[in-house]
Amino acid sequence: MADAGEGDENLREAEGAVGGEDVIDDPIMEQGAVVLRGYVIRRISTEDPDMSVSSVDLGGRPNEQQDPQIKEVVGQLLRIANELNRNAELQHLINQVQNNCAQDVFMRVARSIFAEGINWGRVVALFHLAYRLIYKALTTNHMENIRVIISWVLQFIREQLHTWIAQQGGWEGVIIGISRWRTVTIVASVVLIAAIAYYRKTR
């Protein structure tokens, strides 16, 4: 059994995660923050192997990505994202998004992604957009933007996606729906292209 000192240390580690008290004691929010960071880390390791990024760099805890369940969820999201990554037009549009976009613009784009409903492909589209913004922040040395972007994603999840994710059985629901990921990704690609085009019009 952990002593009081260890318990305090664990609590401090949890509070150090991006989102602070907003994610503590809410498994969907807390796991969502870890999954998002895992998605960003593994996406970067694939696209830019020379760049080293850890959970701590993104506001998380040192060993949070070691959970086998987290690894499986992140892996499934990345398989969906591979379809998004093959879309040249989509990548060109994403690259036009400035790393200093305002919160209201980010939220408008996020809402447009889910305008016609929620599915895992669209959740990945949201993560993919956040990843591109975080990557730009890393490569342009705007480190202060990273936690801001992650907090926007968590705010959107809390306000718009929390109930749906809970209905899927939590983040593990993406694993259960593995046979449908190609279909939802095709839909997500179209939606995200439209969302980024909308963003460009509102800049």
Side-chain angles (χ1 to χ4, degrees):
M1 181 175 177
D3 60 28
E6 290 175 346
D8 291 343
E9 182 177 350
N10 290 338
L11 179 58
R12 283 195 297 273
E13 284 188 352
E15 290 174 340
V18 168
E21 66 278 1
D22 290 338
V23 301
I24 290 176
D25 297 329
D26 186 330
I28 288 176
M29 293 304 303
E30 190 164 9
Q31 192 176 47
V34 176
V35 168
L36 174 59
R37 287 190 287 266
Y39 178 92
V40 171
I41 291 167
R42 288 177 60 179
R43 189 87 259 168
I44 288 174
S45 70
T46 299
E47 296 190 5
D48 192 348
D50 293 332
M51 180 180 288
S52 178
V53 180
S54 70
S55 287
V56 174
D57 295 327
L58 303 179
R61 299 181 295 277
N63 299 317
E64 65 182 18
Q65 300 300 323
Q66 300 307 310
D67 185 328
Q69 192 171 60
I70 293 293
K71 289 182 178 180
E72 190 173 1
V73 170
V74 172
Q76 177 59 17
L77 294 177
L78 287 167
R79 282 189 284 275
I80 296 174
N82 284 338
E83 291 293 321
L84 296 178
N85 226 30
R86 294 190 188 103
N87 190 308
E89 181 182 0
L90 173 63
Q91 294 308 309
H92 175 72
L93 290 169
I94 287 177
N95 288 334
Q96 305 304 308
V97 180
Q98 297 180 359
N99 62 1
N100 60 346
C101 73
Q103 180 179 7
D104 62 331
V105 173
F106 179 90
M107 290 299 180
R108 282 201 301 271
V109 173
R111 284 192 293 270
S112 71
I113 290 174
F114 297 92
E116 297 184 3
I118 304 172
N119 59 42
W120 288 114
R122 290 172 177 158
V123 172
V124 172
L126 175 68
F127 275 29
H128 197 68
L129 175 60
Y131 154 69
R132 295 307 304 176
L133 293 173
I134 290 170
Y135 182 75
K136 284 185 177 183
L138 287 166
T139 55
T140 57
N141 201 31
H142 286 85
M143 305 299 288
E144 70 280 1
N145 290 347
I146 295 172
R147 293 192 181 207
V148 172
I149 295 163
I150 292 177
S151 72
W152 292 348
V153 176
L154 293 179
Q155 178 183 337
F156 188 83
I157 291 172
R158 183 174 62 250
E159 295 176 354
Q160 305 292 332
L161 307 181
H162 191 287
T163 299
W164 182 85
I165 293 172
Q167 290 171 347
Q168 310 311 304
W171 291 94
E172 296 80 4
V174 71
I175 301 170
I176 299 170
I178 190 168
S179 64
R180 301 191 299 275
W181 72 268
R182 288 185 180 275
T183 301
V184 299
T185 301
I186 291 170
V187 173
S189 297
V190 174
V191 169
L192 190 50
I193 287 173
I196 299 300
Y198 172 77
Y199 165 86
R200 295 176 69 185
K201 291 179 181 178
T202 59
R203 285 175 55 182

